[in-house]
Amino acid sequence: MTAKDDETIGFYTDNARTYTSRGQAPDRPHLEKFLARLANGATVLELGCGGGQDSEFMLAAGFNVHPTDGTPEIAKAAELRLGIPVATLLFEDICDVEAYDGVWANACLLHVPRPSLPGIIGRIHTALKQGGVFYASFKAGEAEGRDTFGRYYNYPSKVWLEDLYGQFDWAGMEIEARQGSGYDKMPTDWLHVTATKS
């Protein structure tokens, strides 16, 4: 099964300009916690960078950031903002081996169909160096579904994520539950997962 959903990709392609120009602020609380676990100047792969606000924050803090997005139009907008190359990368095409000190995947893996997630997490695990840190956030739920824009979400529970991550060798893993929102402005239960590779 493919790791991408064509209807979701279509939404981001059609709405790239609106999505990337809405003035979204970086996720400072989680970014600061993530970066505090890394050495100064560490190499970070960002997946699903969107408008580039989180990469911009990490670059300003002195980190070696490799921003990517699965939608060419969004990657292009982020590249204009950041002034560095932004690769178009689908999760299923991650092929690096022990290349990154950190992987930042804020609100993007939540679009991966559930059957494909173990393979994607495995690719990310392989791409991390020993002791590397992996952050991802998900909209919480009990069953996969679509939002009012037609975007697919895997909507995992905490227990479901614990089982998923438990398939790989981590030195530590923690899940934080928080209330928040998203592009649709609706109240949302979020799960923030941080794992460190053994």
Side-chain angles (χ1 to χ4, degrees):
M1 180 178 192
T2 181
K4 69 184 178 75
D5 177 78
D6 289 337
E7 191 172 344
T8 303
I9 289 283
F11 167 84
Y12 288 111
T13 299
D14 295 343
N15 296 277
R17 184 169 182 176
T18 303
Y19 189 80
T20 58
S21 62
R22 60 199 166 115
Q24 189 177 16
D27 184 5
R28 288 185 66 108
H30 293 103
L31 276 166
E32 289 171 351
K33 187 176 178 182
F34 170 76
L35 296 176
R37 297 172 183 245
L38 303 176
N40 291 339
T43 300
V44 178
L45 171 66
E46 180 175 11
L47 301 173
C49 72
Q53 65 278 354
D54 289 351
S55 275
E56 187 174 61
F57 182 92
M58 291 188 277
L59 287 164
F63 290 86
N64 178 22
V65 186
H66 298 257
T68 69
D69 199 273
T71 306
E73 293 81 359
I74 288 182
K76 198 172 295 180
E79 192 168 286
L80 286 172
R81 174 177 184 161
L82 297 171
I84 62 172
V86 176
T88 299
L89 178 70
L90 298 174
F91 306 132
E92 61 202 73
D93 295 330
I94 298 167
C95 60
D96 299 297
V97 177
E98 297 185 358
Y100 302 103
D101 302 295
V103 174
W104 177 261
N106 189 24
C108 60
L109 296 179
L110 39 63
H111 292 310
V112 176
R114 285 189 176 203
S116 299
L117 261 178
I120 301 304
I121 301 295
R123 287 177 177 274
I124 291 168
H125 188 275
T126 299
L128 280 168
K129 298 176 184 177
Q130 185 177 2
V133 181
F134 169 38
Y135 167 86
S137 56
F138 300 85
K139 289 187 177 183
E142 296 295 335
E144 56 194 338
R146 296 188 182 274
D147 69 0
T148 54
F149 297 107
R151 298 178 296 177
Y152 168 89
Y153 285 90
N154 43 46
Y155 292 125
S157 66
K158 182 180 180 188
V159 171
W160 195 90
L161 285 174
E162 286 171 342
D163 289 342
L164 170 64
Y165 276 71
Q167 298 175 42
F168 305 95
D169 189 15
W170 305 105
M173 193 264 288
E174 57 194 61
I175 301 177
E176 175 193 10
R178 268 195 164 184
Q179 272 279 325
S181 187
Y183 183 74
D184 59 7
K185 309 292 190 201
M186 299 295 291
T188 305
D189 292 322
W190 286 88
L191 294 171
H192 302 269
V193 189
T194 305
T196 303
K197 183 175 177 177
S198 295

